[in-house]
Amino acid sequence: MLKLQWLQVHQFRSVRPGTRLSFSPSFNVLLGENGTGKTTLLDLVAAVASSDFTALTREAFDLEYELAADTGRITVRVRNVPTGSESSGLAMDIAVAPRDMAWPLSIRREGQQVTISRQDDASDVVHERIAPEVGGRLWLVLMSGGIAWVEKTGEGTAAVEPLLAMAREVSAQAGLGRFDEGLGYFEQLCQVELRLSRRAEGVLATGIGVASEDLLDGLRKVAAAQWGSPQYVLPAESVPFLRDAAQLLGFSSAEALLFPLETQPQGKYETLSLGGLELAFIGPGGQRISARHLGYGQKRLVAFLHYLAHARAVVIADELAHALHPRQLRACIEQLGPRQSFLTSQSPLLLDSLAFDSAEQVRSTFVLCRREGDSGLLVWEDLSPQAAEAFFTAYRAAPQRVGELLQAQGHW
């Protein structure tokens, strides 16, 4: 899993220049009052964790960050000076150290030009123009760099396969966004569109919007048998997030329904667009309830479980505990598993679910957010080693609710 190691902000909106944050590979919890930039930080983390800056190309910014996984490390400095033309003012300096590659690479992307060189041989440089649609997407820059190297040196794709493997890891996080504090994600889920393509080797399913692999895998399993049907019915057993939601909400079962929008023959292939997603839950007595008729908290739970099916390595959730029953919140936290998570909550329920084994774990878990009184700048900072030690000492001596202890020590 590719995870965010650290982030340094040289310039971004009203954030104090020079801000540097180090992150835990598991829980990262943002603490602060309203208006201290917690949601802004979550959105920024989503941009760098997915390495997609296309939504920020009209803003000036200068950021550095590092992503790491078993396959290697990627360090990026990305700068943008808006020019009125999408992404033309964007520059990226990328250092890539794939684990199984004998030499690291330096990649520079400026406008539509990418330059790739071996860090141990500055004279070995390749220039290649990249298409405008590459935008601020790091994985496409890495792919373009690898292809350019192969084309110019003739070394063959095996020489850059570790680089391409890392590009695929980055692309797996494409589309990562923030799970919002309301029902925005739930509404996006209802508007999702999927496309089927029937060909000789089987049925291919792709998604538009927030479609998760859960939905796509479930659709692939039933599409061949149901092809041409007026509706496509996916039982909960083939859609794990829906199965889990039904269990947590006390229903006997559930199903997802999709309806054809249009059919287009394309040579040897036949494609079919599906939409109108309807999630239906079946009670013990057989009664059916549409997800649209669930309560507010129930909708948030369904939406979050779908979000987890989409966010394979990194989870970014604003006010996760909002409207969730404590039992449901605990279940959601358990489902985070080995993912790296960035969370906020003004409810102590989330904080009280945390446990600590060391002062270093405390320090790496919390990010303090505040607004500077004189300048109005947003100040984001890690908990100091001294504050983390004091917290852990008090926590170990007399275990109490984490939220209360954070408040008592002036951190929340």
Side-chain angles (χ1 to χ4, degrees):
M1 289 185 177
L2 199 66
K3 297 183 179 182
L4 183 60
Q5 304 297 298
W6 53 264
L7 168 66
Q8 184 156 1
V9 180
H10 300 288
Q11 178 189 7
F12 184 70
R13 297 181 185 172
S14 59
V15 180
R16 184 171 65 183
T19 292
R20 184 182 176 93
L21 300 170
S22 298
F23 299 119
S24 162
S26 54
F27 288 104
N28 296 274
V29 180
L30 282 52
L31 303 174
E33 297 183 10
N34 295 337
T36 56
K38 299 189 300 300
T39 298
T40 298
L41 178 52
L42 289 183
D43 285 336
L44 184 57
V45 165
V48 298
S50 65
S51 291
D52 186 348
F53 301 96
T54 52
L56 300 176
T57 52
R58 297 188 183 277
E59 296 189 47
F61 60 82
D62 185 351
L63 309 166
E64 280 187 89
Y65 62 96
E66 182 179 78
L67 301 168
D70 291 341
T71 50
R73 290 179 174 270
I74 306 173
T75 304
V76 181
R77 182 159 187 175
V78 56
R79 299 175 298 281
N80 189 57
V81 179
T83 63
S85 174
E86 185 177 352
S87 78
S88 62
L90 190 70
M92 286 182 174
D93 289 301
I94 307 163
V96 193
R99 186 190 62 188
D100 297 323
M101 191 176 253
W103 33 270
L105 287 173
S106 292
I107 302 175
R108 178 172 176 78
R109 177 265 164 103
E110 191 162 10
Q112 292 181 33
Q113 176 125 341
V114 61
T115 304
I116 178 170
S117 63
R118 285 171 53 163
Q119 292 178 4
D120 58 353
D121 185 357
S123 64
D124 212 353
V125 177
V126 174
H127 297 281
E128 183 76 9
R129 291 188 66 77
I130 57 178
E133 58 267 23
V134 168
R137 300 173 178 87
L138 174 62
W139 73 273
L140 285 173
V141 176
L142 296 177
M143 286 285 191
S144 299
I147 293 169
W149 184 273
V150 169
E151 290 178 348
K152 298 298 182 179
T153 64
E155 291 187 4
T157 56
V160 293
E161 176 52 36
L163 170 65
L164 300 180
M166 295 206 72
R168 290 190 289 270
E169 285 234 40
V170 176
S171 71
Q173 295 184 184
L176 176 67
R178 169 177 59 90
F179 182 78
D180 69 286
E181 63 276 25
L183 293 179
Y185 192 89
F186 179 83
E187 297 300 331
Q188 291 181 55
L189 172 59
C190 294
Q191 296 165 11
V192 72
E193 289 187 12
L194 306 178
R195 175 163 290 191
L196 293 174
S197 177
R198 186 165 65 169
R199 50 191 71 186
E201 60 270 27
V203 174
L204 174 69
T206 56
I208 301 172
V210 298
S212 70
E213 284 300 317
D214 267 14
L215 277 175
L216 297 176
D217 287 343
L219 186 57
R220 278 190 286 266
K221 291 174 183 176
V222 302
Q226 296 185 26
W227 194 273
S229 299
Q231 66 180 21
Y232 289 73
V233 182
L234 285 64
E237 292 72 24
S238 67
V239 189
F241 93 85
L242 196 56
R243 176 200 62 207
D244 294 343
Q247 291 175 353
L248 283 172
L249 293 176
F251 291 101
S252 299
S253 61
E255 60 187 21
L257 294 86
L258 286 153
F259 303 89
L261 300 177
E262 61 176 345
T263 304
Q264 295 180 342
Q266 292 185 351
K268 297 179 181 179
Y269 309 139
E270 184 181 9
T271 65
L272 177 63
S273 294
L274 304 176
L277 176 65
E278 183 71 35
L279 303 179
F281 293 88
I282 297 91
Q287 68 275 25
R288 293 172 61 88
I289 299 177
S290 167
R292 299 176 187 274
H293 299 150
L294 294 175
Y296 186 93
Q298 292 175 309
K299 289 179 179 178
R300 291 203 81 229
L301 177 66
V302 172
F304 185 67
L305 292 176
H306 177 266
Y307 177 90
L308 289 183
H310 182 64
R312 299 286 180 160
V314 179
V315 171
I316 301 168
D318 208 348
E319 295 297 335
L320 176 59
H322 181 46
L324 294 184
H325 185 276
R327 179 178 62 84
Q328 296 169 344
L329 177 61
R330 287 193 296 271
C332 287
I333 292 174
E334 289 174 2
Q335 291 215 15
L336 292 177
R339 299 175 179 91
Q340 183 180 35
S341 59
F342 296 85
L343 310 172
T344 72
S345 178
Q346 298 294 30
S347 165
L349 287 177
L350 173 65
L351 300 172
D352 293 344
S353 68
L354 302 176
F356 302 97
D357 298 320
S358 68
E360 176 55 29
Q361 186 183 15
V362 173
R363 190 205 63 78
S364 65
T365 296
F366 295 117
V367 176
L368 306 182
C369 300
R370 60 185 175 87
R371 187 177 290 275
E372 223 168 37
D374 295 337
S375 65
L377 293 176
L378 295 176
V379 178
W380 302 332
E381 54 196 1
D382 296 323
L383 203 62
S384 71
Q386 295 80 10
E389 187 63 48
F391 177 95
F392 185 66
T393 299
Y395 172 82
R396 185 173 51 182
Q400 55 184 299
R401 295 186 182 277
V402 171
E404 293 178 356
L405 184 53
L406 287 169
Q407 290 188 57
Q409 298 198 356
H411 301 311
W412 184 50

